[in-house]
Amino acid sequence: ERLATVQRALSRLPKRARRAFILSRLEGLSYPEIARRLGISRNMVERHIMRALVDCRRLRTLAMY
């Protein structure tokens, strides 16, 4: 159930946000490494990952009710 919630949240994200989250959480890359791979700033990587986490948390909360 939790995996389905995360998958649902990630599917709703823009492509770069989804990719940044996957590179960070699943592949274990650092923010600077992700920034280099995606051709974006480290700050943008942080924003993408924070957005993904907020969306996952929000969906998880909604799923509880």
Side-chain angles (χ1 to χ4, degrees):
E1 184 178 322
R2 289 173 73 185
L3 179 58
T5 299
V6 170
Q7 287 175 326
R8 197 166 38 256
L10 292 178
S11 71
R12 296 177 181 182
L13 291 173
K15 184 178 179 179
R16 275 195 179 167
R18 182 173 47 251
R19 187 73 182 132
F21 183 83
I22 290 169
L23 289 171
S24 172
R25 297 302 195 244
L26 300 180
E27 296 186 26
L29 296 182
S30 69
Y31 287 8
E33 290 171 318
I34 296 168
R36 278 193 298 278
R37 262 202 203 180
L38 299 181
I40 60 177
S41 72
R42 184 182 183 278
N43 286 339
M44 189 53 94
V45 171
E46 289 177 13
R47 286 183 191 175
H48 285 322
I49 292 173
M50 286 301 297
R51 179 178 180 183
L53 291 171
V54 167
D55 284 357
C56 287
R57 186 175 294 130
R58 182 179 51 79
L59 282 176
R60 191 176 121 220
T61 300
L62 290 174
M64 295 171 122
Y65 296 104

